[in-house]
Amino acid sequence: MLFNALRAFSIALICSFALSAPASVAQAGIVPASRADRAEARDIFKQLIEINTTDTPQGSVTAGTEAMEKRFLDAGFPREDVNLLGPDPRKQNLVVRLRASAPSSQKPVLFLCHVDVVQALRSDWHTDPFQFIEKGGYFYGRGTQDMKDSDAALVATFLRLHREGYKPKRDLILALTADEEGGKFNGPQWLLEHHRELVDAAYVINPDSGGVELDHNRPVVADVEATEKVYADFQVTATNPGGHSSRPRPDNAIYELVTALGKLQAFTFPFEMNPITRTYFENLAKQETGQMADDIHAILATPPDQGAAARLSVEPSFNSNFRTTCVPTRLSGGHANNALPQTAQANINCRIFPGHSPEEIRRQLIGVIGNTKLSVRYVSDAGQVSETAPDRKAIVAPEPI
Ligand SMILES: [Zn+2]
C-alpha cells in the first residue's frame, strides 16, 4: 500500500486529520493552479531531481539552490529578499522572503526544506537516480519523496503567489537548506547561529514529513507531525586477545558479538502511546475495517491489548510508532582469515520514543546484551564515539490542536 510505503520513511509521530471529501478549493475562494502553473511545478521538480545534491564529491547543494535562486530573481523577487548563503561553497542555502502587504508586527511563517539527498548508486537502481522519469503514474528519481517534491511545490507556490500579487498578512519565508541527510551542520543550524534574522519566525512548517495521503488519487488523510523520535547510533564492541586460528580459544569476539545481537533480536521495547499517537490511531480506526480496526481499538483500551499490539507491530510503520526501536545496521570483525578476531563490532541504530534519552537506551542495551565484556558506546552524528550518550529527549508531544 502506498500509504504505508510512505509512512515507513517517516520516523515522525504523526497526527492525522481525515478529509471527508475531496477538498473543494473553489469553495475556499482559492483559484486552482492553471495548466501553466502545473507545468512550471513539474519543470522545477525535474530540474531539482536531475541536479545531484548528495554529500559526495559529485554532489552540490549549491547547484540546486543556485538554480532556484535564478528562478526567483528572473520572476522579479527583489535581490534583498533572495539570499544564497552558507559557510561551504558546495552547500549554499537559499532563503527567500515573500513580504507582507505592510510591515507586520506578526512574526513570519517559515517553510523549512532541505535540498540535499542521500547518496544513490546507479547499480542499486532500475533507472538513473538523477534522471527524472514518470512511469505508470509514479515519479522515479532520488529525492522524489525526500524531499524535492515538497521543495518544488513550495518554490512553485512562492513564484505563483508573487506572480499573482498575493500579499500575506505576515512575511512568508522559504528556506532551502543543506545537510539534513548528512554533513556538518551547514544548514538550519548555521542559519540560526549566523543569520537568525533571515529565518526568525513564529511558526515553522517542515514539509519533510506528513502531507496528504492519496487513495487512487482521492485525498483521504492529511498528516501533520507533532514531534520526532530521537536518532541515536551505538557501537557494540567485543574484544579478545586473539591468536592463531589453528589453536582456537574458548572465547571469541565474533561469537560474543553474534550472541549479543541474537539477544537484541529477541528483545522488543515496550509498547507506548502519547497524546499524538493516540489521536492518530483513534482516527485511523475510523478508516480501517475488520481485524485491523478491532486491533486498533484494542490497543487504545486501558490497559492496551498486548496481543493486538504484537499483531499490528508486524507492519513496520505501526511498530515504529509504538515504541523505541534498535536494529543492527553495520557489522565488522576480524583482520585475517587465519587469525582469531581481536575485535568484532556492530552499529546499532535506535529511534527513541519521546520521553527517553539516548543514555537511557544505551543502559537498556547493556542490560539486554547482558555481557559486561562488551562495550556499548554512543556514536554522534558527526561520527565521534563516546562512553556515554546525551540526556536530550524529544519534546513531549503536545495535545493536538
Ligand atoms: Zn528529508
Side-chain angles (χ1 to χ4, degrees):
M1 207 160 83
L2 183 61
F3 280 12
N4 289 332
L6 284 170
R7 256 188 229 132
F9 284 99
S10 162
I11 57 163
L13 299 173
I14 285 170
C15 181
S16 293
F17 305 91
L19 302 173
S20 54
S24 172
V25 287
Q27 265 177 0
I30 301 165
V31 182
S34 68
R35 191 182 289 263
D37 293 333
R38 287 167 174 273
E40 182 182 49
R42 191 186 190 286
D43 194 46
I44 294 167
F45 193 17
K46 178 177 192 298
Q47 183 180 29
L48 284 171
I49 295 295
E50 297 190 344
I51 297 172
N52 180 339
T53 54
T54 57
D55 185 19
T56 64
Q58 298 77 39
S60 166
V61 165
T62 304
T65 48
E66 272 180 353
M68 297 303 107
E69 178 193 41
K70 181 172 188 316
R71 284 182 179 268
F72 284 110
L73 293 176
D74 288 352
F77 272 70
R79 176 73 262 188
E80 64 269 25
D81 291 341
V82 180
N83 286 282
L84 190 76
L85 69 177
D88 183 328
R90 284 177 43 253
K91 297 182 175 190
Q92 297 285 295
N93 306 284
L94 183 68
V95 183
V96 178
R97 183 173 292 248
L98 187 74
R99 301 234 171 230
S101 48
S104 172
S105 59
Q106 292 178 299
K107 287 177 88 174
V109 176
L110 168 65
F111 295 87
L112 177 64
C113 299
H114 68 84
V115 186
D116 57 321
V117 292
V118 177
Q119 169 69 312
L121 298 177
R122 179 66 186 89
S123 53
D124 293 342
W125 284 61
H126 296 296
T127 59
D128 181 344
F130 299 106
Q131 196 189 339
F132 183 73
I133 293 170
E134 185 175 355
K135 199 167 65 178
Y138 291 87
F139 294 117
Y140 292 79
R142 172 58 96 210
T144 49
Q145 287 195 20
D146 184 11
M147 61 173 295
K148 288 177 171 175
D149 51 342
S150 302
D151 297 342
L154 278 160
V155 169
T157 301
F158 268 63
L159 289 171
R160 188 180 155 207
L161 291 174
H162 178 262
R163 188 161 56 238
E164 294 179 357
Y166 173 75
K167 295 288 179 197
K169 292 200 184 85
R170 54 172 95 204
D171 290 1
L172 303 179
I173 304 168
L174 173 60
L176 301 173
T177 64
D179 284 4
E180 198 273 348
E181 304 290 5
K184 298 257 170 73
F185 318 113
N186 298 293
Q189 187 169 326
W190 183 86
L191 285 168
L192 279 171
E193 282 170 10
H194 296 91
H195 291 276
R196 189 171 183 118
E197 75 289 354
L198 287 179
V199 290
D200 204 24
Y203 304 102
V204 180
I205 298 175
N206 180 341
D208 203 8
S209 190
V212 176
E213 295 181 359
L214 303 177
D215 182 11
H216 297 91
N217 279 335
R218 191 176 65 92
V220 287
V221 173
D223 290 330
V224 178
E225 178 184 320
T227 184
E228 283 200 340
K229 294 171 102 176
V230 168
Y231 177 107
D233 284 309
F234 297 97
Q235 186 185 72
V236 179
T237 309
T239 54
N240 191 279
H244 201 276
S245 62
S246 61
R247 290 184 296 145
R249 309 159 45 94
D251 56 346
N252 177 297
I254 289 177
Y255 285 147
E256 284 172 1
L257 180 67
V258 168
T259 301
L261 295 179
K263 287 181 180 170
L264 180 63
Q265 184 182 14
F267 176 77
T268 306
F269 283 87
F271 172 83
E272 293 187 72
M273 265 198 170
N274 62 28
I276 296 297
T277 54
R278 175 165 292 280
T279 307
Y280 174 73
F281 284 103
E282 280 168 359
N283 280 289
L284 191 63
K286 296 174 197 160
Q287 314 272 324
E288 299 290 349
T289 54
Q291 180 74 48
M292 176 74 87
D294 292 346
D295 282 344
I296 294 172
H297 285 298
I299 59 163
L300 292 166
T302 312
D305 182 331
Q306 296 296 334
R311 277 191 296 280
L312 293 171
S313 295
V314 172
E315 167 58 46
S317 63
F318 289 155
N319 188 47
S320 64
N321 273 295
F322 285 168
R323 55 174 52 88
T324 295
T325 61
C326 288
V327 65
T329 51
R330 298 180 85 165
L331 195 59
S332 65
H335 56 279
N337 287 350
N338 61 354
L340 296 172
Q342 289 179 316
T343 60
Q345 205 163 63
N347 185 77
I348 308 294
N349 180 246
C350 298
R351 308 299 173 114
I352 302 170
F353 203 83
H356 305 287
S357 69
E359 177 58 14
E360 188 183 335
I361 299 305
R362 192 186 72 86
R363 288 173 187 275
Q364 222 164 335
L365 286 175
I366 291 170
V368 170
I369 290 168
N371 181 349
T372 53
K373 283 172 70 186
L374 273 65
S375 65
V376 181
R377 295 191 180 93
Y378 174 74
V379 186
S380 76
D381 291 354
Q384 275 164 345
V385 180
S386 56
E387 294 300 326
T388 58
D391 286 319
R392 186 178 75 89
K393 298 171 183 174
I395 57 160
V396 174
E399 293 285 341
I401 300 166

